[in-house]
Amino acid sequence: MHMAQIQASRDEKVLELEEKVEMLKENVQEGKKLQDMLCNERDVLRTQLESVKREQSTMQRVEKLDSKFQQGMNMEYLRNVLVKYIETQDHEGLIPVFISVLEFSADEKRRLEAARARLTSVWGALGLRR
């Protein structure tokens, strides 16, 4: 009878171990599924990141080209205003254009206005209009 109890105890232990093994197999399967899912998500995120980087690079190139275009337009405009300034006597009307195009600071604008006022008074005192 003692042998029967030992055998029953062993059978019970074997059954418990088999259940644990089965549970561990299920955990491994779930882990593999989770790993596959995470790998797929990682691949999707990598693809999205590459796409965002390409888009960012494109945007930077477009902004750079736009900036160069704007600078070229401003340079052409400035060149035309300078020619008009030299050719005509409309200095009063063209100085604000220079201030705007060249984006003078408030201090620079004040200094330019003061210099213009000094020159105007000198030419006026001489009886010449500038």
Side-chain angles (χ1 to χ4, degrees):
M1 175 120 153
H2 189 21
M3 285 300 266
Q5 285 177 337
I6 293 175
Q7 186 62 36
S9 177
R10 272 193 214 155
D11 290 345
E12 191 176 308
K13 289 276 186 190
V14 167
L15 188 58
E16 283 178 29
L17 291 174
E18 285 175 346
E19 287 174 359
K20 282 185 179 181
V21 167
E22 193 59 39
M23 186 176 69
L24 289 172
K25 284 181 181 179
E26 288 174 8
N27 286 345
V28 167
Q29 286 299 324
E30 286 179 32
K32 285 182 180 180
K33 286 179 185 177
L34 182 60
Q35 181 183 13
D36 289 344
M37 185 179 74
L38 290 173
C39 286
N40 288 336
E41 189 173 337
R42 178 202 61 210
D43 293 342
V44 167
L45 290 173
R46 279 184 180 163
T47 302
Q48 289 175 345
L49 178 62
E50 289 170 6
S51 176
V52 166
K53 284 181 178 179
R54 281 192 307 271
E55 187 174 323
Q56 181 183 22
S57 175
T58 300
M59 289 300 296
Q60 287 172 341
R61 285 194 309 269
V62 166
E63 288 172 357
K64 189 175 181 180
L65 288 173
D66 185 52
S67 175
K68 285 183 178 183
F69 177 75
Q70 290 298 326
Q71 288 173 356
M73 293 288 286
N74 283 344
M75 189 59 72
E76 181 68 26
Y77 183 65
L78 179 59
R79 186 176 13 256
N80 291 334
V81 171
L82 180 60
V83 168
K84 274 282 195 229
Y85 182 84
I86 292 169
E87 290 176 343
T88 69
Q89 296 296 318
D90 185 21
H91 295 178
E92 294 291 321
L94 292 174
I95 287 180
V97 175
F98 283 117
I99 290 170
S100 174
V101 171
L102 296 173
E103 299 175 357
F104 285 0
S105 68
D107 181 55
E108 292 167 330
K109 181 179 177 181
R110 182 191 53 74
R111 288 173 36 210
L112 186 61
E113 296 290 339
R116 183 175 60 176
R118 278 194 314 273
L119 286 174
T120 302
S121 67
V122 168
W123 287 108
L126 294 174
L128 303 171
R129 187 158 191 271
R130 225 20 212 157

